[in-house]
C-alpha cells in the first residue's frame, strides 16, 4: 500500500520556511531586546513570549478573524494585494512564524546576554560599527544559541496542530500538514496510515536533532 | 596635547560618588591614574574612550573635540583615536591571534601587523585561538591589538592585575618598550605602586572621585620615606608558640619570614592581620 507523502513534504517545507523567516527577523529582535534599555521593553518581551503560554486555538482564532476577508485586515489584503490568507499555505507560514517566535528569540537573546559586554566595547574602540560587530564578533561566538533557536523553531513548527487546524482548513496538498494528517487518519480509523506518518515524523526529527547535537558537541570542544 | 574636564555622578556599593577632574597631558607622556578601588579610575578611562558618557565636561585631544557637553558634541568610540586594553583582555574568541591584532586595521596593512606581532613576541602564536593562550600571552595580544590603529591615546585599564609577579614584570618591560618605540600618549590605571613607579612620568592620585595629588612618581610616593628607619608592612600567616616566645610567620610582599615576638607584641594579634615590621638601626645589607 503506497502512502501519500504530501503531508510530510508540506510539514517540512512549512518548518523550513518558518525557520528561515524567523532567523531573519529573530536575530534583530533578540539583539534589540538584549541591549535596549527602553522603558516599554517588558511589554515587548511579553508579546514575544505570549505564544509560549497562549493556547494555540486562541492564536488560531484571532488569526482566523484577522485574515478573514469579512474583517478589516483581511479585506485590505484581498483588496490591495489580492491575497487570501485564510486556508492558504502563506497563512500557515504567518501563523507559524508568530507561534514559534519565542523559540527563536529567547535562545538568541540569551546568547547575546551571555557574551561579555567588553567584546562589543573592544570592537567599538577598534573603529567598527555595531553592524560589523554583530557579524564578525557576536554571532560567530553564539553558534550554540543560533543552533538552539533554529532547532527549537523547526521542531515546534513540525509539531504544530491547533493553529494550523484553525487557519489551515485541512486542504490536501496545500494546508494538510503531517500533524493534521495523523489526526485525520486516526479519526477515519486508518491506523496504518496514521502510524506511517507518525513514524516518519519521529524518525526524521530524531535524526535532525541528533545531527544537531553531534555538531554542537564538536563546536563546544573546538571553541 | 590632551585636555579634559569631566564630571559624573557615580553609584557604587558605598553610595554615591561625585567624580570631578580637570587635567591635561603633553603628547607622548606616560601618565598613571593611581588610587584605591572604587575611586572612579576605570570610569575616567571609559569616559575618555567614549564608552561611558560624562554628565558634564569637555575632552579635547590634539585639537579635536571628542566631547563637549555644552555644545552637544559626543564622538562615539569608533571615531576617537584610541587604543583600549581591557582588564579581562576582551579578545575575540572566534578569531586567530593575527586576526585579533589585525581587526582594527585596513586591508593592506600586513607588514604593520607583522611588525606588531614581532614586537610583542607573538609571531609564533599568530594562528592560534585566544582560548589556547596563557594570561600573559593574551595580554600581549590585547596590547598589540590596541596599538594597531596607531591611536592618539592609549588607555590601559589595570592590564596586569590578573598576572603573577614575574609575568607582570616582563609585561611592564614590554609596555615601557612600546612606549619608547611609538611615543604614544598613555594613561595607565593601576593600584600597583611598583608598576606606576617603573612606567610613568606623571601620576594622578584619584581618591573619592577627585584628584588629590599630581606629580612625578617620586614626588607622590617618596614623601613619607624620609626617616632613617626601615618600616615594612606584612601580613600575619601563622602564630606558633615555642617555649617562652612566639614565632610569627609573616608575608612580606612575596616573601615569607619568621620573626620572634614577645607576649606584648602578640597581644590581640590574629592570623590575617596587617602588621608593621620596623628595624631601628638602619644599615641593612642590599645585594643583587
Amino acid at each position: 500500500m503506497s502512502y501519500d507523502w504530501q503531508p510530510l513534504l508540506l510539514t517540512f517545507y512549512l518548518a523550513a520556511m518558518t525557520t528561515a523567516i524567523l532567523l531573519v527577523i529573530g536575530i534583530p529582535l533578540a539583539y534589540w531586546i538584549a541591549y535596549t534599555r527602553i522603558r516599554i521593553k517588558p511589554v515587548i518581551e511579553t508579546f514575544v513570549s505570549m505564544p509560549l503560554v497562549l493556547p494555540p486555538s486562541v492564536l488560531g482564532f484571532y488569526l482566523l478573524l484577522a485574515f478573514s476577508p469579512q474583517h478589516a485586515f483581511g479585506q485590505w489584503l484581498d483588496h490591495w494585494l489580492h491575497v487570501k490568507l485564510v486556508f492558504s499555505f502563506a497563512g500557515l507560514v504567518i501563523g507559524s512564524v508568530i507561534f514559534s517566535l519565542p523559540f527563536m528569540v529567547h535562545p538568541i537573546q540569551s546568547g547575546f546576554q551571555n557574551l561579555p559586554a567588553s567584546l562589543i566595547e573592544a570592537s567599538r574602540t577598534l573603529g567598527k560599527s555595531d553592524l560589523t560587530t554583530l557579524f564578525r564578533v557576536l554571532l560567530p561566538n553564539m553558534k550554540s544559541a543560533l543552533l538552539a533557536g533554529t532547532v527549537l523553531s523547526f521542531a515546534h513548527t513540525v509539531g504544530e496542530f491547533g493553529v494550523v487546524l484553525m487557519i489551515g482548513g485541512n486542504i490536501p496538498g496545500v494546508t494538510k500538514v503531517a500533524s493534521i494528517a495523523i489526526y485525520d487518519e486516526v479519526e477515519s480509523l486508518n491506523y496504518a496510515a496514521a502510524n506511517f506518518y507518525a513514524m516518519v515524523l519521529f524518525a526524521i526529527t530524531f535524526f535532525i536533532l541528533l545531527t544537531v547535537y553531534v555538531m554542537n558537541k564538536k563546536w563546544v570542544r573546538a571553541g | 596635547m590632551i585636555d579634559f574636564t569631566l564630571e559624573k555622578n557615580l553609584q557604587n556599593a558605598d553610595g554615591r560618588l561625585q567624580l570631578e577632574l580637570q587635567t591635561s597631558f603633553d603628547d607622548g607622556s606616560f601618565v598613571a591614574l593611581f588610587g584605591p578601588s572604587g575611586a572612579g579610575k576605570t570610569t575616567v578611562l571609559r569616559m575618555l574612550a567614549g564608552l561611558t558618557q560624562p554628565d558634564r565636561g569637555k575632552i579635547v585631544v590634539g585639537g579635536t573635540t571628542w566631547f563637549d557637553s555644552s555644545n552637544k558634541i559626543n564622538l562615539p568610540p569608533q571615531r576617537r583615536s584610541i587604543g583600549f586594553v581591557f582588564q579581562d583582555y576582551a579578545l575575540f574568541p572566534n578569531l586567530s591571534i593575527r586576526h585579533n591584532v589585525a581587526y582594527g586595521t585596513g586591508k593592506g596593512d600586513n607588514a604593520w601587523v607583522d611588525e606588531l606581532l614581532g614586537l610583542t613576541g607573538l609571531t609564533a602564536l599568530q594562528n592560534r585561538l585566544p582560548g589556547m593562550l596563557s594570561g600573559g600571552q593574551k595580554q600581549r595580544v590585547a596590547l598589540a591589538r590596541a596599538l594597531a590603529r596607531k591611536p592618539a591615546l592609549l588607555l590601559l585599564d589595570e592590564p596586569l592585575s590578573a598576572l603573577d609577579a614575574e609575568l607582570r614584570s616582563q609585561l611592564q618591560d614590554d609596555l615601557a618598550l612600546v612606549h619608547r618605540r611609538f611615543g604614544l600618549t598613555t594613561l595607565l590605571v593601576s593600584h600597583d605602586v611598583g608598576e606606576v613607579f617603573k612606567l610613568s612620568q606623571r601620576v594622578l592620585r584619584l581618591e573619592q572621585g577627585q584628584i588629590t595629588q599630581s606629580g612625578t612618581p617620586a614626588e607622590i610616593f617618596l614623601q613619607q620615606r624620609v626617616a632613617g628607619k626601615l618600616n615594612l608592612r606584612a601580613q600575619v600567616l601563622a602564630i606558633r608558640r615555642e617555649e617562652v616566645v612566639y614565632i610569627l610567620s609573616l608575608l612580606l610582599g612575596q616573601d615569607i619570614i619568621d620573626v620572634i615576638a614577645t607576649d606584648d607584641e602578640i597581644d590581640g594579634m590574629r592570623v590575617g592581620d596587617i602588621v608593621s615590621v620596623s628595624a631601628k638601626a638602619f644599615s641593612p645589607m642590599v645585594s643583587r
Side-chain angles (χ1 to χ4, degrees):
Chain A
M1 186 174 165
S2 72
Y3 294 116
D4 184 11
W5 284 85
Q6 268 268 325
L8 290 164
L9 292 173
L10 219 49
T11 296
F12 288 111
Y13 188 44
L14 176 66
M17 274 211 79
T18 304
T19 305
I21 294 174
L22 279 176
L23 270 172
V24 171
I25 62 175
I27 292 176
L29 185 56
Y31 182 89
W32 184 77
I33 296 178
Y35 295 121
T36 190
R37 272 183 255 166
I38 202 175
R39 279 219 212 111
I40 59 160
K41 185 165 124 170
V43 176
I44 309 290
E45 287 183 285
T46 304
F47 272 118
V48 167
S49 304
M50 283 286 272
L52 286 174
V53 290
L54 202 62
S57 37
V58 172
L59 180 65
F61 175 61
Y62 281 131
L63 281 175
L64 192 64
L65 287 185
F67 293 163
S68 160
Q70 284 153 346
H71 291 91
F73 183 58
Q75 222 170 27
W76 179 84
L77 279 176
D78 192 21
H79 189 242
W80 289 101
L81 302 175
H82 300 291
V83 159
K84 277 202 175 62
L85 287 177
V86 133
F87 304 154
S88 74
F89 185 76
L92 283 195
V93 173
I94 294 180
S96 299
V97 164
I98 296 175
F99 196 54
S100 297
L101 186 67
F103 293 87
M104 180 63 81
V105 170
H106 285 173
I108 299 184
Q109 183 188 333
S110 282
F112 281 126
Q113 286 165 334
N114 285 330
L115 290 176
S118 54
L119 283 182
I120 301 183
E121 292 181 339
S123 185
R124 285 183 184 153
T125 62
L126 291 164
K128 304 299 181 191
S129 66
D130 285 350
L131 192 66
T132 307
T133 306
L134 177 67
F135 285 105
R136 285 187 69 184
V137 174
L138 301 182
L139 293 180
N141 285 305
M142 287 169 43
K143 288 200 184 115
S144 294
L146 290 170
L147 189 65
T150 305
V151 167
L152 287 173
S153 309
F154 189 89
H156 193 243
T157 308
V158 164
E160 226 171 82
F161 182 77
V163 179
V164 171
L165 192 62
M166 292 286 260
I167 62 172
N170 198 11
I171 303 169
V174 180
T175 62
K176 187 175 178 175
V177 294
S179 48
I180 306 289
I182 293 174
Y183 180 66
D184 215 32
E185 301 294 353
V186 168
E187 289 290 288
S188 323
L189 303 177
N190 291 337
Y191 289 140
N195 192 43
F196 167 71
Y197 290 133
M199 266 178 52
V200 173
L201 265 188
F202 184 94
I204 295 183
T205 45
F206 182 86
F207 282 108
I208 291 176
L209 280 183
L210 185 66
T211 314
V212 154
Y213 284 122
V214 167
M215 273 165 65
N216 200 24
K217 190 170 154 199
K218 281 210 189 110
W219 280 343
V220 169
R221 222 186 301 141
Chain B
M1 197 69 197
I2 296 174
D3 292 285
F4 59 90
T5 309
L6 298 168
E7 269 175 60
K8 187 165 180 77
N9 216 317
L10 295 178
Q11 193 82 289
N12 65 16
D14 305 318
R16 299 193 113 177
L17 186 69
Q18 179 65 7
L19 189 61
E20 255 178 70
L21 31 120
Q22 181 177 354
T23 189
S24 60
F25 343 125
D26 296 321
D27 289 336
S29 56
F30 196 123
V31 181
L33 200 52
F34 178 83
S37 300
K41 311 189 295 288
T42 298
T43 311
V44 172
L45 235 53
R46 289 175 61 89
M47 290 195 282
L48 288 172
L51 297 171
T52 302
Q53 196 170 338
D55 293 335
R56 257 178 314 280
K58 191 169 175 179
I59 302 174
V60 181
V61 176
T64 314
T65 304
W66 285 2
F67 180 81
D68 190 348
S69 52
S70 45
N71 289 326
K72 300 232 171 23
I73 300 178
N74 184 10
L75 287 186
Q78 291 91 328
R79 308 242 314 268
R80 302 190 189 194
S81 179
I82 45 171
F84 201 110
V85 177
F86 293 83
Q87 211 169 343
D88 67 350
Y89 321 127
L91 299 183
F92 305 130
N94 57 309
L95 298 176
S96 68
I97 300 309
R98 190 185 177 89
H99 285 131
N100 259 280
V101 173
Y103 189 78
T105 63
K107 283 245 157 84
D109 286 327
N110 277 318
W112 169 231
V113 175
D114 287 330
E115 191 184 333
L116 278 173
L117 290 170
L119 191 69
T120 46
L122 294 167
T123 312
L125 299 169
Q126 62 180 295
N127 292 319
R128 298 228 191 128
L129 290 176
M132 303 180 214
L133 263 51
S134 68
Q137 290 165 335
K138 284 184 195 170
Q139 202 47 286
R140 288 212 195 100
V141 180
L143 182 63
R145 188 178 68 174
L147 294 170
R149 283 175 85 206
K150 300 182 193 162
L153 184 59
L154 183 62
L155 302 166
L156 307 167
D157 187 5
E158 305 221 36
L160 310 181
S161 59
L163 305 169
D164 65 53
E166 196 188 311
L167 260 176
R168 276 185 100 129
S169 191
Q170 269 175 37
L171 285 171
Q172 283 160 7
D173 292 335
D174 287 345
L175 280 174
L177 179 78
V178 160
H179 182 246
R180 271 197 306 275
R181 172 76 178 274
F182 297 117
L184 298 171
T185 312
T186 308
L187 183 55
L188 168 74
V189 163
S190 177
H191 58 259
D192 182 321
V193 178
E195 188 166 286
V196 168
F197 231 104
K198 193 168 167 182
L199 297 171
S200 58
Q201 297 146 343
R202 185 153 159 239
V203 179
L204 297 171
R205 191 184 218 131
L206 196 67
E207 274 167 330
Q208 301 280 60
Q210 313 274 337
I211 296 181
T212 52
Q213 270 182 296
S214 166
T216 63
E219 285 165 8
I220 307 269
F221 296 116
L222 297 182
Q223 292 296 348
Q224 301 96 305
R225 309 248 183 273
V226 186
K229 189 171 92 166
L230 192 64
N231 194 344
L232 304 162
R233 289 166 72 74
Q235 187 176 31
V236 178
L237 292 180
I239 308 173
R240 292 190 313 279
R241 198 192 161 80
E242 294 275 329
E243 292 173 31
V244 288
V245 292
Y246 287 91
I247 308 275
L248 276 179
S249 293
L250 300 171
L251 179 68
L252 205 62
Q254 296 281 334
D255 300 304
I256 301 177
I257 58 171
D258 281 345
V259 299
I260 294 176
T262 62
D263 284 349
D264 308 321
E265 286 167 322
I266 289 295
D267 192 30
M269 206 183 274
R270 283 195 321 261
V271 170
D273 283 351
I274 304 291
V275 296
S276 189
V277 180
S278 50
K280 287 190 193 126
F282 189 57
S283 62
M285 290 184 291
V286 179
S287 62
R288 254 195 105 173

